[in-house]
Amino acid sequence: HLKAANPQIRRAPVSCPNRHTPLISEDPLFVYRNAFKYLRYGHASAETVLMFVLTASIVWLQHPSIDRVRRGGLWAGSGLGG
């Protein structure tokens, strides 16, 4: 019979198919609750970094079309008008 080296370490809970995990977009206070209500600072900081990277990626991908609009219209240089 083996005893656990640290009895405070617990197994991760098994996910239940009926249990819904909210997405960040579904709950605007998701990061805030994780940090200050549940005291999961590591999770909250990881979620914040993930949201920053996602937002920066979207802005980076849209930058060429925003630049085109500033230079004279969305269709500038394509021969389709503008």
Side-chain angles (χ1 to χ4, degrees):
H1 185 274
L2 296 173
K3 290 186 178 182
N6 188 348
Q8 293 179 348
I9 295 176
R10 299 179 189 159
R11 282 187 4 194
V14 177
S15 64
C16 177
N18 295 331
R19 189 173 154 176
H20 175 68
T21 303
L23 296 173
I24 293 172
S25 62
E26 293 176 356
D27 184 8
L29 298 175
F30 185 72
V31 174
Y32 175 82
R33 282 195 192 103
N34 263 337
F36 300 111
K37 184 176 181 183
Y38 305 120
L39 301 177
R40 292 188 223 158
Y41 299 113
H43 286 139
S45 65
E47 291 156 2
T48 302
V49 169
L50 181 67
M51 285 191 297
F52 173 77
V53 168
L54 181 66
T55 303
S57 300
I58 291 170
V59 169
W60 182 75
L61 288 172
Q62 289 182 344
H63 181 70
S65 35
I66 292 170
D67 197 35
R68 245 183 277 135
V69 169
R70 286 183 184 158
R71 283 188 279 140
L74 184 60
W75 304 108
S78 67
L80 296 174

